[in-house]
Amino acid sequence: MTHHSPAPRTTGRRTAARATALAASAAMVVLALQSGTAATAAGHTASSRDAGATALPLSASQRATALKDAQADAPAAARQLGLGSGEKLVARDVVRDADGTTHTRYERTYDGLPVLGGDLVTHTAKSGDLKGVSKAHKGAISVASTDASLAPAAAKKSALAVSDAKSATAKNVRKVVWAASGKPVLAYETVVTGTQADGTPSELHVVTDAATGKKLYSYEGIENGTGTSEYSGTVTVGSTASAGGGFDLTDGGRGGHKTYDLNGGTSGTGTLFHDADDQWGDGTVTNRQTAAVDAAYGAAETWDYYKSAFNRNGIAGDGKAAYSRVHYGNAYVNAFWSDACFCMTYGDGQSNQHPLTALDVAGHEMSHGLTASTAGLNYSRESGGLNEATSDIFGTSVEFFANNSSDVGDYLIGEKININGNGTPLRYMDKPSKDGGSADYWSKTVGRLDVHYSSGVANHFFYLLSEGSGAKTINGVSYNSPTSNNSTLTGIGRAKAEQIWYKALSTYMTSTTNYAAARTATLQAASDLYGANSAEQQAVAATWTAVNVK
């Protein structure tokens, strides 16, 4: 293993970011300068992009005002959309483009009940004219009655039968209208908590028919993804002077992101990391601060990436940070995101010697928060694959953006954890099937795969759109990406591909978006950004065809 010595002591403003030494992975790949078509880390804003379609940055107060105004306009929007008398809209997000177009994301209620799969996005021109609407459910929302035949206790019993978690407990039962698939029905949503087989907490959401108790849908609320366990060398982290003396690992420059030590616990926040002299970690796994610094660094780079690339003010767009918890459980070999706490959690890996606190882990996990705050892609079936791919896409993008010499950007997922025991990555974006389970191309059975495998179609799309098909070497890593129709593709560059995916996610995708709808959303995003029938939009169409999404 290669080691970096501790960072030298620094002077100056004590609340500023501090240099910290971390260990590098034994599996480090020798990397060269990037070749291929991808843009450099600094090149996120493509010169040919239509500036009018770029989202304007909104401060926390501006966003709050925009949401308040959107809620005041919600009744008029419902009438304009021709919604039924029992339907109401609840504003959840507002995106304003430079050309005056406003994209307003709404949840829907029916007779006061939440409508799952009822979310929609209105697209309004500067003039106030409705340009279009993106709906999770195309038809009307209506059920015969909102009186349930079964009591909530029956929903709990049905939900418990679905869960495989240890110490499962059903709670938080609520009556809803289920509209995410087929005809809307009255239902219950029950959250079953417990512990999954590998030690990951479980927050299983189970939707059951309120008349029959039959399961209609379920998804896991804990979204766990794997990244690298290598460390990032000497980095900077944000700290804040503590009122009682010393320093806390709180990044005041990025929404107040905090990093906590669970110390082997599996609940709560544990203890906020504190240090007397503002020198964090020593590059060894035996120093508890080392994992904390890596997690804090990853969170900072992810925050900066979203700000730089998309003018986004924090993961949820509200200027507030998520938080990180390290040293979860005992020898826990994973990391996960939870919407419930809006936080990332990292285990210490095999024998508590390989904390999963590396750069693309943070980018992957925090991007689950981005998805939850925008499209809200259901974490199951094809929408779940798109959810997981979004985290791979932006985790990879964060890695390229950081331009860290100890962790140079690549299109391999989990290449340093060696989970397979033979040095191979967990996932490959250029040819996903190389992992033995992921799909290269869409088929009717893709939605039956685990979301980490159905994500392969979107991961492959993103790689092909960025870099093109065929053999090439990028940053010292060899790739050879095929196409389903044997077409030859030339990539448009990663920077443009990132912009297209983000705009599609934030303004056109909904909770029920599948691969066919993702094609439509990205084509519209490419049109907005680069023009109808532009080379970029044509590339998006050709690339979806190349992964068999037509």
Side-chain angles (χ1 to χ4, degrees), residues 9 15 17 22 53 61 135 163 167 223 234 253 284 306 314 354 365 373 384 459 472 476 497 531 548:
R9 293 183 176 274
T15 57
L22 299 174
S61 61
K135 291 183 177 180
S163 175
S167 303
E223 297 162 331
T234 300
T284 69
Y306 283 123
H354 305 285
E365 302 307 338
S373 301
N459 280 343
K472 58 190 54 134
N548 202 37

Side-chain angles (χ1 to χ4, degrees), residues 374-394:
T374 53
L377 290 159
N378 292 333
Y379 201 60
S380 181
R381 301 174 188 168
E382 289 190 24
S383 60
L386 288 163
N387 186 319
E388 193 61 29
T390 295
S391 284
D392 280 350
I393 287 167
F394 289 130

